[in-house]
Amino acid sequence: MEHRLVRAVEEALGWDGPAPLGSEFARGSISDREVVERLLTPSRLLDMVMRRSLASPQFRLFKGGEELHPDAYLNRQVTPRGQAIPIADMRRVGSLLREGATLVLDQSNVFDPTMEVACRAMQWWSREHVQANVYLTTNDASGFDLHWDDHDVLIVQLAGEKQWEVRGASRPVPMFRDAERNSTPSEEIVWTGTMRTGDVMHIPRGYWHAATRVGRGGGHSTHVTFGFAKRTAVSWLTWLADWSRQEEVFRHDLDRWGSPDEQQDQRLALTAAASQLIDARGPAEFLRLREQEAPPGRHVPFLDIFGPLEAVACVSEFPPVITQDGQTVDVVAAGKKLTFAAKALPGLRLLLSGHPVRLDEAGPLVGAEVEALAKILVEEELCASVTPELFSGYTGLATSAGF
């Protein structure tokens, strides 16, 4: 999927692909400012908050560096049947922001089609799961104290400005669930400065960082953090443990009461079986299957009672694998393998490009069978019907495929 944000981030950081993710700190500025404003504005963020039922910890507010109790900014609207639905009290939210506060909305891609499409484009680019968290800070409010994230992040400054301090890691590649605590910040200062509209920053996992508007007076800052949950060797070993259940030797009880020779025999048998399992299912196999077996993204189901299928877009979490073998073509994605006649290849490449495809315009390009192909892909949930709302997420950022 070609997406203006991905291209803009690569150009800003001087990258040629996603390989540098997690390797070192990087910073730059997006020259294509239309991309930045198109992603999200502060008013769109507040509108998103107003129109949805939100709850902590996905939606949070901070003041004076401390997280506020949800009662300070949430109401529980009670329905006639006594059901309490949490919604943002926009009057209180507005008052807090006027005084100076930080608003956080995690996983904005769940609510906003533009962020949804941007995250899917980032996933296809990086081959990692991505989520977009948005931060709005007003006046001279402080941000979070020095902390580190257990995932790599790309930060795009959407509006306003904010002061940052970035330090190196005090423990190499720390994890959320780890063998040791990682609570002492590094003394190595990598960068301090101001992020302004259009600036981009990459902070690898484990790097300490803090952001604030203290001393800035009036004004605001809005930035989005794209978090990349990359897999580690621990993830691979956990996956191997699941595969071990297929082998009888691993399902036996560990011999607690046998003789030393019997216990040694079991240890040797387990070691040999574990070695065979490691050889048979290496890290590359783990990553390949993880991509191909990931379920499709959330999407509006197609119901023909509302009208015919007019446009589709691929909604698999990662790019489908398309391979031709003689007279057939296999498509592997979203935990499924579909086989088509070889003549379907042009249509499949178009429909699974990641871009929205209007079927009436696609027919003259790849053949009349494109509509039948689209219906199959929608039924199998590799593609979804492009509703007006979903189409808005592509507008100005990702063009229609082939047009």
Side-chain angles (χ1 to χ4, degrees), residues 376-398:
I376 294 172
L377 295 174
V378 168
E379 289 173 0
E380 297 293 342
E381 295 188 294
L382 272 65
C383 288
S385 174
V386 177
T387 62
E389 292 77 15
L390 176 57
F391 192 79
S392 70
Y394 294 92
T395 304
L397 293 173

Side-chain angles (χ1 to χ4, degrees), residues 10-81:
E10 284 187 332
E11 291 174 0
L13 299 181
W15 289 1
D16 183 18
L21 270 172
S23 60
E24 60 184 20
F25 174 81
R27 192 174 65 86
S29 185
I30 293 176
S31 58
D32 186 357
R33 293 303 175 84
E34 290 183 5
V35 173
V36 178
E37 184 175 353
R38 175 66 186 83
L39 277 178
L40 187 68
T41 62
S43 60
R44 272 179 52 208
L45 171 62
L46 292 176
D47 189 81
M48 197 188 314
V49 166
M50 180 189 69
R51 297 183 188 280
R52 287 159 178 83
S53 174
L54 297 171
S56 179
Q58 186 171 31
F59 174 53
R60 294 163 289 158
L61 266 89
F62 295 78
K63 186 174 174 60
E66 300 291 330
E67 183 173 357
L68 298 175
H69 191 281
D71 287 347
Y73 54 87
L74 289 179
N75 275 334
R76 280 162 179 78
Q77 192 173 70
V78 180
T79 70
R81 298 193 177 189

Side-chain angles (χ1 to χ4, degrees), residues 298-311:
R298 297 169 69 247
H299 58 277
V300 175
F302 171 66
L303 302 173
D304 57 8
I305 56 176
F306 298 147
L309 186 64
E310 297 179 342

Side-chain angles (χ1 to χ4, degrees), residues 102-121:
T102 292
L103 179 155
V104 181
L105 180 62
D106 287 347
Q107 286 190 298
S108 62
N109 47 294
V110 172
F111 304 118
D112 180 71
T114 301
M115 285 298 177
E116 173 195 336
V117 173
C119 278
R120 185 173 297 125

Side-chain angles (χ1 to χ4, degrees), residues 57-203:
Q58 186 171 31
F59 174 53
R60 294 163 289 158
L61 266 89
F62 295 78
K63 186 174 174 60
E66 300 291 330
E67 183 173 357
L68 298 175
H69 191 281
D71 287 347
Y73 54 87
L74 289 179
N75 275 334
R76 280 162 179 78
Q77 192 173 70
V78 180
T79 70
R81 298 193 177 189
Q83 298 168 314
I85 301 174
I87 60 171
D89 185 323
M90 298 308 291
R91 184 174 290 107
R92 295 180 188 174
V93 169
S95 178
L96 289 167
L97 292 177
R98 289 187 191 94
E99 295 170 3
T102 292
L103 179 155
V104 181
L105 180 62
D106 287 347
Q107 286 190 298
S108 62
N109 47 294
V110 172
F111 304 118
D112 180 71
T114 301
M115 285 298 177
E116 173 195 336
V117 173
C119 278
R120 185 173 297 125
M122 287 284 190
Q123 288 182 174
W124 282 36
W125 172 69
S126 68
R127 305 299 178 92
E128 305 291 349
H129 285 290
V130 181
Q131 77 173 49
N133 301 337
V134 184
Y135 301 80
L136 167 63
T137 300
T138 57
N139 295 329
D140 62 352
S142 59
F144 302 131
D145 293 333
L146 273 172
H147 66 283
W148 58 273
D149 294 322
D150 62 353
H151 51 273
D152 303 320
V153 297
L154 281 173
I155 297 164
V156 180
Q157 186 73 23
L158 300 174
E161 59 183 44
K162 204 169 193 179
Q163 180 73 22
W164 285 77
E165 178 180 306
V166 181
R167 301 189 183 190
S170 50
R171 172 173 169 77
V173 289
M175 303 180 69
F176 175 74
R177 182 185 174 193
D178 209 336
E180 296 180 12
R181 291 178 60 85
N182 184 39
S183 54
T184 302
S186 168
E187 295 185 0
E188 174 200 9
I189 296 179
V190 176
W191 179 74
T192 59
T194 301
M195 290 281 284
R196 296 182 173 85
T197 303
D199 286 350
V200 181
M201 181 163 53
H202 168 243
I203 302 179

Side-chain angles (χ1 to χ4, degrees), residues 195-259:
M195 290 281 284
R196 296 182 173 85
T197 303
D199 286 350
V200 181
M201 181 163 53
H202 168 243
I203 302 179
R205 166 164 57 114
Y207 276 45
W208 293 81
H209 53 278
T212 185
R213 280 191 52 83
V214 170
R216 293 275 168 170
H220 67 92
S221 164
T222 304
H223 74 265
V224 57
T225 295
F226 293 98
F228 296 77
K230 297 174 73 174
R231 300 301 90 190
T232 67
V234 172
S235 309
W236 170 56
L237 290 175
T238 301
W239 178 76
L240 285 177
D242 289 335
W243 277 105
S244 70
R245 294 176 174 85
Q246 292 193 347
E247 303 297 330
E248 180 182 339
V249 66
F250 292 114
R251 300 199 305 269
H252 282 283
D253 299 336
L254 292 176
D255 190 351
R256 183 190 294 273
W257 308 114
S259 68

